[in-house]
Amino acid sequence: MAEFADRPPFVAESNAQDAIGEERPADSHPAHDEPGVGPDAPEPGRADASGRREDLQRASHEQEQDEQGYRELDNALGQRVSNYFYGQVHAADATFGFGFPSSPGHAPGLVEPDEVSLLLRDFLHPDGYDVAAGKLQTKNLLVIVGEEGSGRRAAAFSLLRDLLGEHVAFRSLSPANSLAQLASPGYLKARSGYVILDYLGETGTTAVQDFDIRRLRAELRRHRSFLVITASSAAQQRLALKEFSVPWRPPEPLHLFDHCAEHLLRPDVPEAVTAELRTRVSELRRPADVVAVASNLSEGPDAALEALRDSTKECVRNWFEAEPRTEDLLPVAALAFANRLPERTFEELVVSLDTCVQNVGKSNGDPPEEDERPPQAAATIGQTRARWKWRAVGIAEAVQRTDNAEDHCRSERRVEFTSPRVRDLVLSNLHELYGYELWYPLRQWLDQLSLEGSLAVREEVARGVALLARYALAEVEEKLLEVWAGGLSSQRVTAALVLQFMCADEQLAPHALNLALSWTEGRGQERAITATMAFAGDLGSIYRLDSLHHLWFLTSRGERIASAARRALVLLLATTEREPERARLVLRYLRTRAQHAPAGKDRGIALGIIIQILGARRLNSAEPLAAFLLRKDPGLSRQFGALWRVVLHSPYRANAIAELCRTLVALRDDESASSLARLLGEAMQGDMDDRQRAALRNDLPAALHNPRYSLPGIKQLAYLLLDCSAFTT
């Protein structure tokens, strides 16, 4: 059978082989051994029956696991994150809440000239800039190779602007794009600039890549367009792109500081202050840090010096340099993956981590039985809660908090870091200073939490692991994410949440995408389902078309994976509540797929997905999603109307009428219900012929006789939608 994972998801899958529920993909469970083989084999009939029962039981268990996982994901994505700030907060580089930063080019799409101007406001040409500009001009393709934070992004846009002008918008492409796709006919536009930021490379042979690069360069030259790729030195595909690569180093810190602070540093500043400023700036390595210091000069040299001295970083460093005892180190290490949890919950987690540490020297990593635990454990009970007063001063504390600000009676102590940045610094020091003796039991403990912890605990674990990925990406992928993605539903949800939180870091987001894509390519059903979960959240918000393409591709796989992909498409739309433009993109994509799906199985898949979309509910709510989105953005009526029109002319007609009735019921109390009904009706009936309009005018009034829909005002809305006299008062 053809391997689905080898087909590019950007091509319409009109040649998919098996109907939903009939496919046996390469990554499904292996076939059972043939019955009747061997001396102890049972009778063939009994073996067949027993095998079928086992298959049914396994399928039922898998379905239950998958449903549980998506219920948890619904809850996680539906949460409204609140951030509490007590006192002064310095978090210039932090990301709060459930989202991601939106610097130019981070998400694929157009980068407008104003955004480029803002990005290049403090850009200074370093040594080697002219060499890079000359190579781009002659070859139309350039790869900037340098460390993260070295100014590669700004350099890419600056080079393109020099060639194409200040008033040209550039297009940022997904790091998952292959060179072969970019070189395909019709992809590139004339006199255009393209960037691929944080490119991860490809695994194809060098000869194939070299052929694709030559095709791509020929297309670029033919269109007089230019492509700049940024990549780290560790990225793949170095040999194939060596001819087009230039090493990149940031400008000297003091030169950049003088460039940015030319009009901000007053001449009356004491010489000692200026000297300290310049000394500390010379130690910085990232251009963004130098620019931040110069920006702080607008508030005075003291503010800039305070930021440079970084008392928070010094406090964390001093705590670790004092070599804390194990009884203090373990709670702080646990807090890095369990921040802001209730103290009673956190204490249980610390005890379980302590058990994992005690078991490091044992051959069996399982927790000891009750009667095997050290007899002195009961005699060493200390006043652990009181120790937070001096255990990690300036780093962590136990504070009285409440989830609901109005319910003060339900408040309880929570253990938390003093600021979000402290958590990141603690993880950095843990990774830099401690080795196997700490991290082996920590990984065991995290495995336990990913399997058995509550959703609240696993969300915090996911946040901590995503932060750890900044410093130990390979270890996080190999030892944690690969295992969890192929595990039980609780572990798969945890792995998907880690990828969501990795998207908050611009350097980690491409790695999160690459990892999710790898799980869709013959890596097992569980990992493919984990990928669908990841595409439904922030990963789908950043890499929109990539997520839509691959989710649609997965709907053609076996029923278990296809069901998860359909569920993820619904979630992807449900997470667009505050992004009307993204909602419009998702609906337009689904409409196009449905309209161009050939007759047969592919069209059946498309129609089934659309019915699920039209019948979707909001996250953590029973309100129809279509009604909510229409109220938020009436312009979406055109997209929803087109989807309804597609399924009204299909075997799903009865389902479409029922979902239309539910949507009208949800809209009836809205003050704009009448205009929304008119807009929706115009979009639905725009391309209908007289026979189809007559059928709709007959079916909708008949459906409204159902007691669930016979509510005041519904007939009037239906009258406006149909724009006819089909109803009598």
Side-chain angles (χ1 to χ4, degrees):
M1 181 184 129
E3 176 59 46
F4 283 105
D6 291 337
R7 299 207 321 268
F10 297 90
V11 180
E13 294 127 16
S14 58
N15 297 322
Q17 297 184 3
D18 301 307
I20 287 184
E22 298 175 353
E23 176 193 358
R24 175 72 65 181
D27 58 358
S28 64
H29 294 280
H32 295 289
D33 292 337
E34 188 175 343
V37 178
D40 300 323
E43 297 178 13
R46 293 184 179 179
D48 290 345
S50 175
R52 284 194 295 270
R53 282 196 299 272
E54 291 178 0
D55 287 346
L56 289 174
Q57 290 173 354
R58 183 176 64 249
S60 176
H61 177 69
E62 290 172 347
Q63 183 179 6
E64 181 181 346
Q65 284 276 306
D66 297 344
E67 182 61 30
Q68 176 186 343
Y70 262 100
R71 282 198 301 269
E72 290 187 334
L73 191 65
D74 287 350
N75 291 332
L77 296 180
Q79 288 178 351
R80 297 295 177 261
V81 180
S82 299
N83 300 298
Y84 300 89
F85 302 100
Y86 300 87
Q88 294 182 347
V89 176
H90 173 72
D93 298 323
T95 299
F96 302 105
F98 198 85
F100 55 88
S102 56
S103 61
H106 176 45
L110 281 179
V111 183
E112 299 295 341
D114 290 346
E115 296 179 281
V116 177
S117 297
L118 182 63
L119 178 66
L120 300 180
R121 181 182 57 187
D122 297 310
F123 182 71
L124 177 66
H125 292 188
D127 294 339
Y129 182 88
D130 293 339
V131 174
K135 181 167 286 193
L136 177 61
Q137 186 172 17
T138 57
K139 296 183 178 296
N140 296 75
L141 171 63
L142 180 71
V143 183
I144 300 177
V145 180
E147 297 302 319
E148 295 174 354
S150 62
R152 300 174 308 181
R153 179 194 307 266
F157 287 108
S158 177
L159 289 165
L160 289 174
R161 171 169 281 196
D162 289 346
L163 287 172
L164 296 172
E166 296 184 358
H167 304 293
V168 177
F170 307 127
R171 181 167 292 278
S172 177
L173 304 177
S174 166
N177 279 343
S178 70
L179 299 180
Q181 291 164 355
L182 298 181
S184 59
Y187 195 96
L188 299 175
K189 307 299 181 185
R191 293 289 297 171
S192 299
Y194 300 90
V195 294
I196 300 180
L197 303 175
D198 304 310
Y199 189 55
L200 301 176
E202 300 176 43
T203 57
T205 62
T206 301
V208 173
Q209 294 175 24
D210 189 58
F211 174 76
D212 292 335
I213 291 169
R214 288 199 301 271
R215 288 179 55 219
L216 174 57
R217 186 189 176 195
E219 284 292 303
L220 287 167
R221 297 188 71 174
R222 186 168 69 87
H223 289 87
R224 291 185 297 169
S225 295
F226 300 90
L227 169 64
V228 181
I229 300 173
T230 68
S232 67
S233 56
Q236 300 176 28
Q237 209 178 19
R238 291 281 64 79
L239 291 177
L241 286 172
K242 185 176 182 180
E243 177 187 350
F244 305 93
S245 300
V246 294
W248 189 260
R249 293 178 181 83
E252 289 296 325
L254 287 177
H255 292 168
L256 180 58
F257 179 72
D258 292 338
H259 171 73
C260 299
E262 181 179 0
H263 302 293
L264 295 174
L265 192 60
R266 299 192 307 270
D268 59 343
V269 175
E271 185 177 345
V273 174
T274 302
E276 184 180 356
L277 264 174
R278 296 182 65 81
T279 299
R280 291 185 179 272
V281 165
S282 66
E283 299 172 355
L284 299 177
R285 292 295 175 263
R286 298 174 65 244
D289 296 335
V290 178
V291 173
V293 173
S295 299
N296 287 331
L297 286 174
S298 61
E299 302 177 12
D302 292 338
L305 268 179
E306 183 62 29
L308 276 170
R309 288 165 181 162
D310 200 348
S311 58
T312 300
K313 185 175 183 179
E314 186 175 351
C315 176
V316 175
R317 183 175 62 247
N318 290 341
W319 188 82
F320 278 99
E321 286 179 352
E323 298 186 6
R325 295 179 296 179
T326 300
E327 61 184 8
D328 292 328
L329 176 66
L330 289 185
V332 172
L335 192 60
F337 302 95
N339 190 40
R340 295 198 86 250
L341 293 175
E343 191 171 42
R344 53 191 166 84
T345 303
F346 179 72
E347 288 173 341
E348 295 176 7
L349 301 182
V350 173
V351 170
S352 66
L353 174 57
D354 183 64
T355 301
C356 291
V357 172
Q358 293 180 28
N359 290 335
V360 167
K362 299 182 180 181
S363 59
N364 185 356
D366 295 331
E369 299 294 336
E370 198 70 35
D371 55 359
E372 295 179 357
R373 291 180 181 173
Q376 68 271 23
T380 57
I381 298 177
Q383 297 178 340
T384 56
R385 292 186 175 179
R387 285 189 65 83
W388 284 110
K389 296 179 180 178
W390 61 83
R391 167 179 282 150
V393 177
I395 295 177
E397 56 188 350
V399 184
Q400 201 79 10
R401 296 275 190 260
T402 177
D403 281 336
N404 185 350
E406 298 178 357
D407 189 3
H408 298 288
C409 296
R410 297 286 295 174
S411 66
E412 58 182 327
R413 279 178 29 131
R414 295 174 181 268
V415 184
E416 60 186 53
F417 288 112
T418 53
S419 75
R421 187 162 181 266
V422 170
R423 185 179 192 176
D424 182 53
L425 291 169
V426 165
L427 278 166
S428 172
N429 281 272
L430 286 172
H431 175 259
E432 182 180 350
L433 300 175
Y434 296 90
Y436 181 86
E437 295 82 357
L438 175 65
W439 282 105
Y440 178 72
L442 262 177
R443 287 199 302 268
Q444 286 188 317
W445 177 68
L446 292 173
D447 281 339
Q448 291 179 12
L449 298 188
S450 73
L451 187 64
E452 304 168 358
S454 66
L455 179 59
V457 169
R458 284 184 282 123
E459 280 193 80
E460 282 306 311
V461 167
R463 291 180 192 272
V465 171
L467 288 174
L468 176 62
R470 296 178 178 177
Y471 311 104
L473 180 60
E475 184 177 355
V476 165
E477 288 186 1
E478 178 184 350
K479 301 295 186 181
L480 299 176
L481 293 182
E482 287 287 351
V483 177
W484 297 350
L488 298 180
S489 65
S490 58
Q491 294 177 299
R492 298 200 298 268
V493 172
T494 309
L497 290 175
V498 172
L499 296 194
Q500 307 288 359
F501 294 127
M502 285 173 65
C503 290
D505 188 310
E506 294 182 4
Q507 277 72 46
L508 290 179
H511 293 282
L513 174 64
N514 193 51
L515 192 56
L517 295 181
S518 72
W519 291 340
T520 68
E521 299 173 353
R523 302 292 305 284
Q525 292 189 11
E526 285 74 18
R527 288 189 176 88
I529 291 171
T530 307
T532 67
M533 293 179 173
F535 288 137
D538 279 354
L539 202 61
S541 181
I542 299 175
Y543 303 110
R544 301 175 181 182
L545 285 176
D546 285 310
S547 299
L548 286 168
H549 284 316
H550 284 84
L551 285 176
W552 192 273
F553 157 66
L554 291 172
T555 61
S556 296
R557 298 280 289 272
E559 174 56 23
R560 187 181 175 198
I561 296 176
S563 176
R566 294 193 295 267
R567 184 76 176 264
L569 282 169
V570 173
L571 270 179
L572 192 60
L573 180 63
T575 57
T576 65
E577 290 188 358
R578 298 181 182 179
E579 299 179 81
E581 192 57 40
R582 186 159 66 94
R584 188 173 290 107
L585 172 67
V586 174
L587 294 172
R588 189 166 58 243
Y589 181 91
L590 296 174
R591 179 200 65 192
T592 303
R593 280 289 194 176
Q595 289 177 341
H596 292 85
K601 173 220 151 184
D602 285 349
R603 183 162 179 79
I605 292 174
L607 294 174
I609 293 172
I610 290 178
I611 282 296
Q612 283 190 254
I613 290 290
L614 295 178
R617 302 295 184 264
R618 292 183 62 195
L619 293 171
N620 296 340
S621 172
E623 181 182 6
L625 180 61
F628 175 81
L629 291 176
L630 285 170
R631 281 199 300 270
K632 292 284 290 185
D633 182 10
L636 293 176
S637 58
R638 180 181 177 186
Q639 309 300 331
F640 275 112
L643 293 182
W644 253 298
R645 185 169 63 246
V646 170
V647 288
L648 281 171
H649 306 154
S650 75
Y652 291 92
R653 182 180 185 83
N655 304 78
I657 292 291
E659 299 303 343
L660 183 57
C661 292
R662 293 189 185 98
T663 301
L664 291 176
V665 169
L667 288 173
R668 70 187 182 98
D669 293 330
D670 193 272
E671 58 183 18
S672 60
S674 297
S675 61
L676 290 175
R678 285 195 184 94
L679 289 172
L680 189 59
E682 291 172 1
M684 287 173 55
Q685 301 180 77
D687 293 332
M688 288 184 181
D689 56 33
D690 292 340
R691 181 180 60 83
Q692 292 167 341
R693 290 192 185 92
L696 177 60
R697 292 174 181 180
N698 176 73
D699 292 347
L700 183 56
L704 291 179
H705 285 97
N706 188 310
R708 288 179 297 178
Y709 312 135
S710 298
L711 300 173
I714 297 300
K715 286 188 176 181
Q716 287 75 11
L717 288 181
Y719 176 88
L720 293 171
L721 185 144
L722 296 174
D723 191 26
C724 70
S725 56
F727 297 95
T728 57
T729 57

